[in-house]
Amino acid sequence: MLSVKDITKKYGKNIVLQELTYNFDKGVNIIVGTNGCGKSTLLNIIGNLDGNFAGEVTFNDDDLTSINYKKRTFYLPSDFYLPEFMTGKEYIDFILSLYPNSNNKHLNDLIKLFKMDKSINKMISNYSFGMKKKIQFIASICADADLYLYDELFSGLDFETTIIIEEIISYMEKTKTIILVSHDINTLKRFNKKIMIMSEGKLNEFNYDVDGIINRISEMVIDETLLNSIREDYESN
């Protein structure tokens, strides 16, 4: 279990996370919320990319700063930049060298599954956005971590790739702890057991029909006065 306790994060006087406490169980945990509400900030903290915060983070009793925690955690940020001077295969090999429990048993199968076999030995500088996402995900699977953090994993991916990744995650959730930041409605419907809404620096469980989550997010961001003004303009034309 991943435990975050009393996490507070500020940018100047702006409080992004405020005494956030939550336990993430094994399986898929999805976080949704508006832009700037703190979703990526929380993942940066859990993923050891931001140490400037108050509070505690542990995973199965391993402290955030411990070597064992780092070896068991794989974080794929939404804005991660790949070394374009490497080939896809060199990048995967480099990542796996950082994880002592990595397993490349299914590496070739994954490369073929994601249709990367003709480009895996080409320079990453020649890759499209989707191809870069594919090799990052392949590396994450072969790393065989215990805690996975995926920030907008499905953004920019085609329908076929999204289905394949969802299918693989459905296998992973039986033994791994996975946190997904995602607004893909199909993903929310497939992994609907634990969905949290980030709002006002805290996480609140969403226990209603997934179709209603769009309305819930809309309620958080829409200025009704402004919306009514716009609606009236359209109706008057």
Side-chain angles (χ1 to χ4, degrees):
M1 180 177 68
L2 172 70
S3 175
V4 297
K5 183 177 180 182
D6 296 328
I7 298 296
T8 297
K9 173 67 181 180
K10 301 178 181 179
Y11 292 105
K13 295 182 179 180
N14 182 31
I15 301 176
V16 180
L17 303 176
Q18 187 168 8
E19 297 181 349
L20 188 154
T21 296
Y22 201 86
N23 293 325
F24 296 90
D25 296 322
K26 186 180 295 182
V28 178
N29 304 265
I30 298 182
I31 300 176
V32 298
T34 58
N35 288 338
C37 70
K39 306 183 300 298
S40 295
T41 297
L42 177 60
L43 259 62
N44 284 341
I45 290 172
I46 298 172
N48 261 307
L49 292 188
D50 187 346
N52 186 22
F53 69 95
E56 299 177 2
V57 179
T58 57
F59 181 61
N60 293 346
D61 298 325
D62 286 324
D63 183 79
L64 177 73
T65 59
S66 71
I67 296 297
N68 200 38
Y69 180 102
K70 296 175 181 178
K71 289 179 179 179
R72 300 170 68 192
T73 304
F74 196 105
Y75 180 24
L76 185 51
S78 61
D79 58 353
F80 189 76
Y81 297 99
L82 297 181
E84 296 195 340
F85 57 86
M86 285 184 172
T87 66
K89 181 61 165 57
E90 287 172 341
Y91 167 76
I92 292 174
D93 289 343
F94 169 71
I95 293 298
L96 298 190
S97 70
L98 304 176
Y99 289 86
N101 296 322
S102 64
N103 185 346
N104 62 3
K105 177 181 178 181
H106 298 294
L107 176 57
N108 290 332
D109 292 332
L110 287 166
I111 290 171
K112 291 179 181 178
L113 182 63
F114 284 101
K115 299 179 180 178
M116 292 291 293
D117 44 312
K118 293 182 179 179
S119 55
I120 195 67
N121 291 311
K122 294 181 179 180
M123 303 296 288
I124 293 175
S125 58
N126 297 314
Y127 283 12
S128 66
F129 181 82
M131 293 167 70
K132 291 177 181 178
K133 274 282 187 77
K134 288 179 182 180
I135 64 165
Q136 288 175 297
F137 184 72
I138 290 172
S140 74
I141 299 305
C142 293
D144 199 17
D146 296 308
L147 171 61
Y148 285 91
L149 312 172
Y150 293 121
D151 193 354
E152 297 292 359
L153 175 62
F154 302 101
S155 176
L157 294 178
D158 60 74
F159 186 62
E160 180 183 357
T161 302
T162 297
I163 290 176
I164 293 172
I165 290 178
E166 286 181 348
E167 191 66 24
I168 292 174
I169 288 177
S170 71
Y171 300 144
M172 294 169 62
E173 69 173 329
K174 300 172 184 177
T175 58
K176 311 294 185 181
T177 300
I178 303 165
I179 302 178
L180 277 173
V181 169
S182 178
H183 298 96
D184 180 80
I185 194 66
N186 292 322
T187 302
L188 296 177
K189 287 182 176 181
R190 178 157 189 177
F191 303 106
N192 59 8
K193 294 180 181 178
K194 200 157 192 180
I195 299 175
M196 290 78 65
I197 294 180
M198 175 76 78
S199 178
E200 298 180 351
K202 296 183 182 296
L203 287 175
N204 301 290
E205 291 191 14
F206 183 82
N207 298 314
Y208 305 95
D209 187 271
V210 171
D211 288 326
I213 202 165
I214 302 301
N215 292 331
R216 179 68 186 92
I217 297 296
S218 297
E219 291 172 0
M220 295 162 55
V221 300
I222 290 177
D223 184 326
E224 285 295 335
T225 302
L226 178 60
L227 187 62
N228 286 335
S229 175
I230 295 172
R231 185 184 297 117
E232 289 171 1
D233 286 342
Y234 274 95
E235 290 176 350
S236 63
N237 292 331

